[in-house]
Coordinates of all heavy atoms in Angstrom, one line a residue:
A1 N 0.8 -1.2 0.0 CA 0.0 0.0 0.0 C 0.9 1.3 0.0 O 0.5 2.3 -0.6 CB -0.9 0.0 1.2
A2 N 2.0 1.2 0.7 CA 2.9 2.4 0.7 C 3.4 2.7 -0.6 O 3.4 3.9 -1.0 CB 4.0 2.1 1.7
V3 N 3.9 1.7 -1.4 CA 4.5 2.0 -2.7 C 3.4 2.4 -3.7 O 3.5 3.3 -4.5 CB 5.2 0.8 -3.2 CG1 5.7 1.0 -4.6 CG2 6.4 0.5 -2.3
A4 N 2.2 1.8 -3.6 CA 1.1 2.1 -4.5 C 0.5 3.5 -4.1 O -0.1 4.1 -5.0 CB 0.0 1.0 -4.4
G5 N 0.7 3.9 -2.9 CA 0.0 5.2 -2.5 C -1.4 5.0 -2.1 O -2.2 5.9 -2.0
Y6 N -1.8 3.7 -1.7 CA -3.2 3.3 -1.4 C -3.4 3.4 0.1 O -2.5 3.3 0.9 CB -3.5 2.0 -2.0 CG -3.6 1.9 -3.5 CD1 -3.3 3.0 -4.3 CD2 -3.8 0.7 -4.1 CE1 -3.4 2.9 -5.7 CE2 -3.9 0.6 -5.5 CZ -3.7 1.7 -6.3 OH -3.8 1.6 -7.6
P7 N -4.7 3.5 0.5 CA -4.9 3.6 2.0 C -4.7 2.2 2.7 O -5.0 1.1 2.1 CB -6.4 4.0 2.0 CG -7.0 3.5 0.7 CD -5.9 3.6 -0.3
H8 N -4.3 2.3 3.9 CA -4.0 1.2 4.8 C -4.5 1.5 6.2 O -4.0 2.4 6.8 CB -2.5 0.9 4.7 CG -2.1 -0.3 5.5 ND1 -0.8 -0.9 5.3 CD2 -2.7 -1.1 6.4 CE1 -0.7 -1.9 6.1 NE2 -1.8 -2.1 6.8
L9 N -5.4 0.7 6.7 CA -5.9 0.8 8.1 C -5.5 -0.4 8.9 O -5.7 -1.5 8.5 CB -7.4 0.9 8.1 CG -8.1 1.0 9.4 CD1 -7.9 2.3 10.1 CD2 -9.6 0.7 9.3
T10 N -4.9 -0.2 10.1 CA -4.7 -1.2 11.0 C -5.5 -1.1 12.3 O -5.7 0.1 12.7 CB -3.2 -1.3 11.4 OG1 -3.0 -2.5 12.3 CG2 -2.7 -0.1 12.1
V11 N -6.1 -2.2 12.8 CA -7.0 -2.2 13.9 C -6.5 -3.2 14.9 O -6.1 -4.3 14.5 CB -8.4 -2.5 13.5 CG1 -9.4 -2.5 14.7 CG2 -8.9 -1.5 12.4
P12 N -6.5 -2.9 16.2 CA -6.0 -4.0 17.2 C -6.8 -5.3 17.0 O -8.0 -5.3 16.9 CB -6.3 -3.3 18.5 CG -6.2 -1.8 18.3 CD -6.8 -1.7 16.9
A13 N -6.0 -6.4 17.0 CA -6.6 -7.7 16.8 C -6.4 -8.6 18.0 O -7.2 -9.6 18.1 CB -5.9 -8.4 15.5
G14 N -5.4 -8.4 18.8 CA -5.1 -9.3 19.9 C -3.7 -9.1 20.4 O -3.0 -8.1 20.1
F15 N -3.3 -10.1 21.2 CA -2.0 -10.0 21.8 C -1.2 -11.3 21.7 O -1.8 -12.4 21.6 CB -2.2 -9.7 23.3 CG -2.7 -8.4 23.6 CD1 -4.1 -8.1 23.5 CD2 -1.9 -7.3 23.9 CE1 -4.6 -6.8 23.7 CE2 -2.4 -6.0 24.1 CZ -3.8 -5.8 24.0
V16 N 0.1 -11.2 21.7 CA 1.0 -12.4 21.8 C 1.9 -12.1 23.0 O 2.7 -11.2 23.0 CB 1.9 -12.5 20.5 CG1 2.9 -13.6 20.6 CG2 1.0 -12.8 19.3
H17 N 1.8 -12.9 24.0 CA 2.5 -12.7 25.3 C 2.4 -11.2 25.8 O 3.4 -10.6 26.2 CB 4.0 -13.1 25.1 CG 4.2 -14.6 24.9 ND1 3.9 -15.5 25.9 CD2 4.7 -15.2 23.8 CE1 4.2 -16.7 25.4 NE2 4.7 -16.6 24.2
G18 N 1.2 -10.7 25.7 CA 0.9 -9.4 26.2 C 1.3 -8.3 25.2 O 1.2 -7.1 25.6
L19 N 1.9 -8.6 24.0 CA 2.3 -7.6 23.1 C 1.2 -7.5 21.9 O 0.8 -8.5 21.4 CB 3.6 -8.0 22.5 CG 4.8 -8.1 23.5 CD1 6.0 -8.7 22.8 CD2 5.1 -6.8 24.1
P20 N 0.8 -6.3 21.6 CA -0.3 -6.1 20.6 C 0.1 -6.5 19.2 O 1.3 -6.3 18.8 CB -0.6 -4.6 20.7 CG 0.0 -4.2 22.0 CD 1.2 -5.0 22.3
V21 N -0.8 -7.0 18.5 CA -0.7 -7.1 17.0 C -2.0 -6.6 16.4 O -3.1 -6.6 17.0 CB -0.5 -8.6 16.6 CG1 0.9 -9.1 17.1 CG2 -1.5 -9.5 17.1
G22 N -1.9 -6.1 15.1 CA -3.0 -5.6 14.4 C -3.4 -6.3 13.2 O -2.6 -7.0 12.6
L23 N -4.6 -6.1 12.8 CA -5.1 -6.6 11.5 C -5.2 -5.5 10.5 O -5.8 -4.4 10.8 CB -6.5 -7.2 11.7 CG -7.2 -7.8 10.4 CD1 -6.5 -9.0 9.9 CD2 -8.7 -8.1 10.7
S24 N -4.7 -5.7 9.3 CA -4.7 -4.6 8.3 C -5.8 -4.8 7.3 O -6.2 -5.9 6.9 CB -3.3 -4.7 7.5 OG -2.3 -4.2 8.2
F25 N -6.3 -3.7 6.9 CA -7.3 -3.6 5.8 C -6.7 -2.6 4.7 O -6.4 -1.5 5.0 CB -8.6 -3.0 6.3 CG -9.3 -3.8 7.3 CD1 -9.0 -3.7 8.6 CD2 -10.4 -4.7 6.9 CE1 -9.6 -4.5 9.6 CE2 -11.0 -5.4 7.9 CZ -10.6 -5.3 9.2
V26 N -6.5 -3.1 3.5 CA -6.0 -2.3 2.4 C -7.0 -2.3 1.3 O -7.5 -3.3 0.9 CB -4.6 -2.9 1.9 CG1 -4.2 -2.3 0.6 CG2 -3.6 -2.7 3.0
G27 N -7.2 -1.1 0.7 CA -8.1 -1.0 -0.4 C -7.6 -0.1 -1.5 O -6.4 0.4 -1.5
P28 N -8.4 0.1 -2.6 CA -8.0 1.0 -3.7 C -7.9 2.4 -3.3 O -8.3 2.8 -2.1 CB -9.1 0.7 -4.7 CG -10.3 0.3 -3.9 CD -9.8 -0.4 -2.7
P29 N -7.4 3.3 -4.1 CA -7.3 4.7 -3.7 C -8.6 5.3 -3.4 O -9.6 5.0 -4.0 CB -6.6 5.3 -5.0 CG -6.8 4.4 -6.1 CD -6.9 3.0 -5.5
Y30 N -8.5 6.2 -2.4 CA -9.7 6.9 -1.9 C -10.8 6.0 -1.4 O -12.0 6.4 -1.4 CB -10.2 7.9 -3.0 CG -9.2 8.9 -3.4 CD1 -8.5 8.7 -4.6 CD2 -8.8 10.0 -2.6 CE1 -7.5 9.5 -5.0 CE2 -7.8 10.8 -3.0 CZ -7.1 10.6 -4.2 OH -6.1 11.5 -4.6
S31 N -10.5 4.9 -0.9 CA -11.5 4.0 -0.3 C -11.5 4.1 1.2 O -11.9 3.2 1.9 CB -11.2 2.5 -0.7 OG -9.9 2.1 -0.2
E32 N -11.1 5.2 1.8 CA -11.1 5.4 3.2 C -12.4 5.2 3.8 O -12.5 4.6 4.9 CB -10.5 6.8 3.6 CG -9.0 6.9 3.5 CD -8.4 7.1 2.1 OE1 -9.2 7.1 1.2 OE2 -7.2 7.2 2.0
P33 N -13.5 5.7 3.2 CA -14.8 5.4 3.9 C -15.1 3.9 4.0 O -15.6 3.5 5.1 CB -15.8 6.1 2.9 CG -15.0 7.2 2.3 CD -13.7 6.6 2.1
L34 N -14.8 3.1 3.0 CA -15.0 1.7 3.1 C -14.1 1.1 4.2 O -14.6 0.3 5.0 CB -14.6 1.1 1.8 CG -14.5 -0.5 1.8 CD1 -15.8 -1.1 2.1 CD2 -13.9 -1.0 0.4
L35 N -12.8 1.4 4.2 CA -11.9 0.8 5.2 C -12.3 1.2 6.6 O -12.2 0.4 7.5 CB -10.5 1.3 4.9 CG -9.9 0.8 3.6 CD1 -8.4 1.2 3.5 CD2 -10.1 -0.6 3.3
I36 N -12.7 2.5 6.8 CA -13.2 2.9 8.1 C -14.4 2.1 8.6 O -14.5 1.7 9.7 CB -13.5 4.4 8.1 CG1 -12.1 5.2 8.1 CG2 -14.3 4.8 9.3 CD1 -12.3 6.7 7.8

């Protein structure tokens, strides 16, 4: 998404030994309403 210039949303998904990890949602350009 960074190289393409496209939107990327990460949302907390859970923990591994108390350390957070996130789930990513990536879409086409200007799809922020959808990803949100």
Side-chain angles (χ1 to χ4, degrees):
V3 176
Y6 291 0
H8 182 169
L9 175 71
T10 182
V11 181
F15 293 82
V16 173
H17 291 295
L19 301 173
V21 293
L23 178 69
S24 285
F25 297 84
V26 168
Y30 301 101
S31 62
E32 282 81 359
L34 168 65
L35 298 187
I36 287 169

